[in-house]
Amino acid sequence: MLPFTVCPVGDTGLLVSFEQRIAQSVGAAVAALNARVAAAAIPGVVETVPAFASLLIFYDPLVTEYDAVADAVAGKRSLKIHAEYATELARQLVYDIFKDDAYTRGLNVYLTINSKDQQAAYSAVRSNIASFDKVRGYRGAEGQIRLPASLDEQAKTIKQALHAAASSPNLLPAIVLSTSPSIRAAISNGETVTLDRASNAFAGKFLKAKPDDPTGLRPGALIRVTRTSGGWTLSQIPQVQTGFMAADFRTGAIRALVGGFDYDLNMFNHVTQAWRQPGSSFKPFIYSASLEKGFTPNTILQDSPFYLDAKKNGGQAWSPKNYSGKFEGPMPLHRALEKSQNIPVIRVMNAIGPKYAQEFLARFGFPASRHSPTLSTALGSGTVTIWQMVEAYSIFANGGYRVQPYLIDKIVDESGRTIMTEENREAGDESIRAIPARNAFVMSTLLNDVARRGTAARAGAALGRPDVGAKTGTSNDSNDAWFAGFAGNQVAVGWMGYDQLRSLGSKATGGVLMQPIWISYMQTAVRGQPIYNRMPPGGVEQRAGEWCYSEVSDGTHAESSTPVSSGDDPVSSLLKLF
């Protein structure tokens, strides 16, 4: 780790003053301590407190002044580092420890966030979310005001309306002054801007809305505008939400954390507080469990129709399908994971026993209460947080150790005395081993395969590194899109979805929606990093190009649709079926 740089609050866009954060709103509390956050992000409420007098010091901060409107008008790209969700989480953690003393002791709180990585994550999230939202069409004006006839009164009314509107970087609130031939609008610095021709096309029917339509674009309408290289254009605040987190999988140090599209618009931290279905990004954990029950990457699995009648499935018949709706017949386990086929992993779950799988999942930090001992759990029907997924994927990347993510590195008082420091147990400490070293190694190579020739191949090609391992994930009805993986010494997980559960759209998958964000982040985060070489541990050998447990032979998995009881031995059960 590079030396920390101490910067006074206010001199850097990265050091976000808690006084500003608290003055704006009351944060939604999550777990108090790093360990508690890692175990389960517990929602709660923190009461309004006095201005936080402590200083936040980030890893490798950038010094900059920031004025959103001035930068947008000048066409400049702001250098402010947006880490609002991370700083609010840090405030909650510090307050939980020091209570009201946190606001009077002059504490310097050193965080693990890397400014370069944080900015990369924020920029990737913002640009991709905005693009996703725009292609789904314009939703109309946010509100309407009546414009007085007097120009002086009009300017005063506009100023008040814009001051009351929530601000978001480069999504500036504006009041429409006229709509023909182009849309003209006033922004908060008193300037009038003319929007490009594309804005009229984007606005579409809203330019012809009835006078009583609150979403219509007419003089007095409250809209959003964005400064682009080609001038000003009509925009809008996205409805879809996201969360993204990256950490050093060896130490657990969090390098980037983006809890949503914009903290000032939605303080809910989707990294720690949002429990969502992981979809296919959960399959690696089931395959990991299967390695301990006699399966290998070369085991032949059947991708053919699977059916459970109501009596065998809790009163409801179940006939799952693959995402494509097609069945491809026999295929090796590694290929099933690469293609993210549903039926093969269900058959694996059926063979090893859902109860055993549920118990194995606990090794990764997934509580049994969130993942039922049913076959659908293999498809990610349980719920997880992004924080949990970062911790879990770190286990595959670091050799099998359950390293806890952490945000606060140390706390120093006003005299310069270190009063608290993080002593996180790191990879290599056998007391935190979660899975055997060879299990982690084989799973890392399987995820490498997914990034080479599977659903995450775009990420592998974009980074051009052999140490990339990743998996896509999409939940039922495309309500959740995920991308999780590792490269260099980092693991990163991203999610996209609506707060109020609804589909992201047809063909809206983790590979399509979240993979570009993950790639954009990793291209910055691991640039210049040496390749992370994973050496094969004892007990494995390479067969047919895949690493397998030495003592386990490759075979064919053929089973009926009758679920295996948790006490049955999968291999013995399979032999009875030949």
Side-chain angles (χ1 to χ4, degrees), residues 265-335:
L265 302 176
N266 187 339
M267 292 181 296
F268 186 81
N269 191 332
H270 296 83
V271 167
T272 59
Q273 293 177 286
W275 291 90
R276 306 292 295 222
Q277 289 186 327
S280 294
S281 65
F282 206 67
K283 290 174 181 174
F285 306 111
I286 304 303
Y287 284 125
S288 174
S290 77
L291 296 181
E292 302 305 308
K293 289 292 187 177
F295 286 78
T296 80
N298 294 322
T299 300
I300 301 300
L301 307 175
Q302 295 296 328
D303 183 20
S304 56
F306 184 95
Y307 176 81
L308 283 181
D309 62 35
K311 292 182 179 179
K312 297 176 181 177
N313 193 48
Q316 185 174 1
W318 189 48
S319 181
K321 301 290 190 297
N322 291 317
Y323 179 78
S324 65
K326 302 177 182 179
F327 302 101
E328 299 190 16
M331 64 175 60
L333 183 151
H334 72 84
R335 186 60 177 158

